[in-house]
Amino acid sequence: MTLRPAAAETAPGTAGPPVTPPAQAPARRRLRHRPGRRKNSRARSQAWAAYLFLAPWFIGLFVITLGPMIASLYLSFTDYSLLAPAHWVGMDNYDKLFTADNRYMNSLKVTTTYVFVSVPLQLAFALGLALALDKGLRGLSFYRSIFYLPSLLGGSVAISILWRKIFGVDGIVNTFLGWFGYEGQGWVTSPDTALWTLIILHVWTFGAPMVIFLAGLRQIPQNLYEAARVDGAGRLRQFRSITLPLLTPIIFFNAVLEIIKSFQSFTQSFVVSGGNGGPVDSTLFYTLYLYIKGFKNYEMGYAAAMAWVLLLIIGALTAVNFLMSRFWVFYGDDN
């Protein structure tokens, strides 16, 4: 039998052997295992990748958009002809616009008439056609593509030239009227009808708002129409009480876009009038007169002032539309 030595007992009142604490890991080693440090480095690398992909957009924003805008704002207070250094004139360009330039005021009147007549007509025509196409026709995709085509071609030079031929003295319109014994006229050469030919051209480019209206109609719940039919509501009452209120956000969206686009119309007036806004300035759009001042008369400072006034007009009208929308635009979450 083997006897094991008993553990040495510490006598009462005497201190035991010193206890050595466990060794601590080096600070560098502890930091290496922190998850936050790894996440920060990964986030920084992802941020640099995002900035790299966004670099072309930032270059376009500051070099192509903001840079020229700031330069044009400065030039609007100068007398600049492209051939000589800009000369500071203060508010003279803006003062001349509203007090001494009758042709400018006429261009503003023509453009305002064009916008506030053509846009409602175009939206009404687009909505009516969208309602017709929403009845489950065969080949709906084909018809939708065909009707969208004018929006792609309406602003082109070729269509503008074709439009001038259609409404000319020997055009299709006069040929059609001749079948019924009516003597035609030069619709684009008469100051009473020239602007209306451009309004008809704008209404003809109904494709884009029509497609948006059609998408909005597809989002209206069908159970609302079923409940209305059970209550005895006819199609007109359904349109007035269901379709129209639920489409007001789409109508508002299309109206804002078309108003902005219409104020910027240029090609139609330039081609149909031969670049001078005739006859008798009846088709002198705002942008066409800006082009004449800037690139024909070399009054770039004056043209820059016109551009900034147009920006303020469009911004003001857009703000008014947003303010007025609270009174007539209905959203699904409204009480």
Side-chain angles (χ1 to χ4, degrees):
M1 182 175 179
T2 304
L3 299 177
R4 294 181 180 178
E9 296 182 0
T10 304
T14 61
V19 179
T20 305
Q24 297 181 358
R28 183 179 302 175
R29 187 175 182 181
R30 292 201 309 271
L31 293 176
R32 187 178 302 170
H33 294 283
R34 287 184 178 179
R37 184 182 182 91
R38 185 178 302 172
K39 290 181 180 179
N40 292 336
S41 61
R42 185 182 302 174
R44 282 195 294 267
S45 63
Q46 292 176 353
W48 279 112
Y51 292 144
L52 181 62
F53 283 106
L54 288 173
W57 183 85
F58 281 116
I59 294 174
L61 174 64
F62 291 105
V63 177
I64 301 177
T65 303
L66 289 182
M69 286 182 64
I70 296 173
S72 68
L73 180 60
Y74 166 75
L75 291 176
S76 68
F77 297 99
T78 64
D79 181 11
Y80 181 50
S81 63
L82 284 177
L83 305 176
H87 175 66
W88 182 267
V89 294
M91 298 293 295
D92 289 355
N93 289 331
Y94 294 94
D95 181 66
K96 182 181 177 182
L97 282 175
F98 298 101
T99 60
D101 193 346
N102 294 328
R103 201 176 185 198
Y104 168 79
M105 298 303 297
N106 181 70
S107 70
L108 188 59
K109 177 183 175 182
V110 169
T111 306
T112 304
T113 303
Y114 171 79
V115 171
F116 286 100
V117 173
S118 64
V119 170
L121 290 176
Q122 183 196 51
L123 295 183
F125 191 76
L127 178 58
L129 195 56
L131 290 170
L133 293 178
D134 192 45
K135 301 304 179 182
L137 297 176
R138 288 186 177 181
L140 179 60
S141 300
F142 172 76
Y143 288 112
R144 188 166 48 194
S145 302
I146 292 298
F147 288 132
Y148 183 73
L149 194 61
S151 292
L152 300 177
L153 303 177
S156 64
V157 175
I159 294 298
S160 299
I161 296 175
L162 178 62
W163 212 255
R164 187 174 183 176
K165 296 294 183 181
I166 290 175
F167 287 93
V169 177
D170 300 326
I172 298 176
V173 174
N174 286 339
T175 302
F176 177 77
L177 293 177
W179 295 345
F180 300 94
Y182 292 98
E183 184 178 356
Q185 62 174 344
W187 302 95
V188 296
T189 58
S190 172
D192 297 328
T193 57
L195 180 61
W196 287 97
T197 63
L198 298 183
I199 290 175
I200 295 174
L201 175 57
H202 184 77
V203 174
W204 180 69
T205 61
F206 59 87
M210 182 211 67
V211 171
I212 298 174
F213 278 135
L214 191 57
L217 289 171
R218 294 301 178 89
Q219 300 301 318
I220 298 178
Q222 293 301 313
N223 58 353
L224 297 178
Y225 294 106
E226 295 174 0
R229 283 193 293 268
V230 171
D231 291 338
R235 291 187 177 181
L236 183 60
R237 181 60 184 271
Q238 292 177 26
F239 173 77
R240 189 173 66 249
S241 301
I242 299 175
T243 305
L244 199 59
L246 294 180
L247 275 183
T248 49
I250 308 298
I251 297 173
F252 171 68
F253 176 78
N254 278 330
V256 171
L257 289 186
E258 292 302 322
I259 287 174
I260 295 174
K261 186 173 71 173
S262 299
F263 267 105
Q264 298 174 342
S265 297
F266 170 78
T267 305
Q268 303 91 324
S269 174
F270 181 84
V271 174
V272 171
S273 68
N276 56 16
V280 198
D281 288 347
S282 59
T283 60
L284 184 64
F285 284 179
Y286 194 104
T287 51
L288 177 58
Y289 189 52
L290 190 152
Y291 168 81
I292 293 173
K293 281 294 186 181
F295 295 96
K296 285 190 174 181
N297 300 340
Y298 298 106
E299 300 179 22
M300 292 300 297
Y302 194 78
M306 289 182 60
W308 276 95
V309 172
L310 179 61
L311 175 64
L312 294 177
I313 292 173
I314 294 176
L317 286 176
T318 305
V320 170
N321 282 329
F322 273 94
L323 290 176
M324 297 300 296
S325 66
R326 67 181 67 180
F327 299 107
W328 64 276
V329 177
F330 172 80
Y331 296 97
D333 55 352
D334 291 345
N335 294 326

